[in-house]
Amino acid sequence: GATFALTGGNFTFANGSLVNGAGTVLVSGGTTTFSGANTGSASISLAGSGTATFNGNTTTTGGGTFSAGTLNGTGALTLGAPLTISGGDLKGTGSLIANGGANITANFSLHEGQTLTLAGNSTWSAGTVYTGTGAILNNSGALVTTANTDFYHYYGGTKLTFNNSGSFTKNTATADTALDATVNNTGTITVNSGSVSVGGGGTNTGTINVASGATFALTGGNFTFANGSLVNGAGTVLVSGGTTTFSGANTGSASISL
């Protein structure tokens, strides 16, 4: 329950330094730099006007809470416990790895080449992800959205790349979840309600399940269903923009609308 708070000025965790315990390191003001090979067990929180710069590999068995502020740098932050995102600006050419999954509850930004990797169980209950300029979102776990949430191409440049090797599921909400991104699915995408639309093209070499009354929509870019990929369920695959290529030996049970 204890906190070590960095509220202003410039603070540096030198290469090899440790932050241990079950408490929290809070960056709420100024700039905190993690110089690399930092390991520990504390959770890391980002709030207010704080900037956390990761220029090396920082690993903790704790989790994270990001509500505001900026995460940047060229290095990697790896969290072992769950991450909660309710705001903040994730940018730079580094990476944020949430091995305990993430709970996304409000808007945040992901851009400038930043890579966000989700493992474990993740939920996306609210919020738009403002993306662009070559950012990447990798999901190797189970990501479930229960709202009409979006990837919004706000920053221009190369659209977000969403690589799904786990499962991405849309439940409950009945309007559209607009993924204005390049979507590469090697795992499973399931649309149980409403629709999921893909606006930046991509590929499917895995399985897409579309429940009765639901829609998987292709609205822009070039999207390819690779040889042997599947589209199952009593729902609909809608091609309403861009170019969709079915490469052969595609089997499934969904309806196709043009």
Side-chain angles (χ1 to χ4, degrees):
T3 299
F4 179 70
L6 299 157
T7 61
N10 297 314
F11 191 93
T12 299
F13 288 93
N15 194 322
S17 59
L18 298 174
V19 182
N20 290 321
T24 299
V25 174
L26 169 64
V27 180
S28 61
T31 298
T32 299
T33 301
F34 297 80
S35 299
N38 305 99
T39 59
S41 54
S43 295
I44 296 177
S45 291
L46 183 61
S49 60
T51 296
T53 300
F54 293 88
N55 286 332
N57 296 320
T58 297
T59 301
T60 178
T61 56
T65 301
F66 297 169
S67 60
T70 301
L71 179 147
N72 63 18
T74 59
L77 169 61
T78 301
L79 303 172
L83 166 68
T84 296
I85 304 177
S86 60
D89 188 11
L90 311 183
K91 64 180 185 179
T93 57
S95 58
L96 172 60
I97 302 166
N99 282 331
N103 300 311
I104 301 169
T105 62
N107 300 344
F108 74 98
S109 293
L110 179 66
H111 60 118
E112 292 187 9
Q114 178 73 201
T115 298
L116 173 60
T117 297
L118 305 178
N121 295 321
S122 298
T123 59
W124 185 11
S125 59
T128 294
V129 184
Y130 292 89
T131 69
T133 55
I136 298 170
L137 174 58
N138 298 317
N139 175 53
S140 61
L143 172 59
V144 177
T145 180
T146 56
N148 301 311
T149 46
D150 300 314
F151 296 154
Y152 177 41
H153 186 59
Y154 178 80
Y155 292 98
T158 303
K159 289 189 175 185
L160 173 75
T161 299
F162 176 40
N163 298 313
N164 179 58
S165 60
S167 63
F168 174 67
T169 303
K170 165 80 177 284
N171 287 332
T172 308
T174 58
D176 186 44
T177 292
L179 307 181
D180 194 5
T182 299
V183 176
N184 300 314
N185 178 51
T186 58
T188 302
I189 294 175
T190 300
V191 188
N192 285 325
S193 63
S195 61
V196 170
S197 62
V198 175
T203 59
N204 177 51
T205 58
T207 300
I208 297 175
N209 300 311
V210 189
S212 177
T215 300
F216 179 74
L218 299 158
T219 61
N222 298 314
F223 193 92
T224 299
F225 288 91
N227 194 323
S229 60
L230 297 174
V231 183
N232 292 321
T236 299
V237 174
L238 170 64
V239 180
S240 62
T243 299
T244 299
T245 302
F246 296 82
S247 298
N250 306 100
T251 59
S253 53
S255 297
I256 297 177
S257 293
L258 183 62

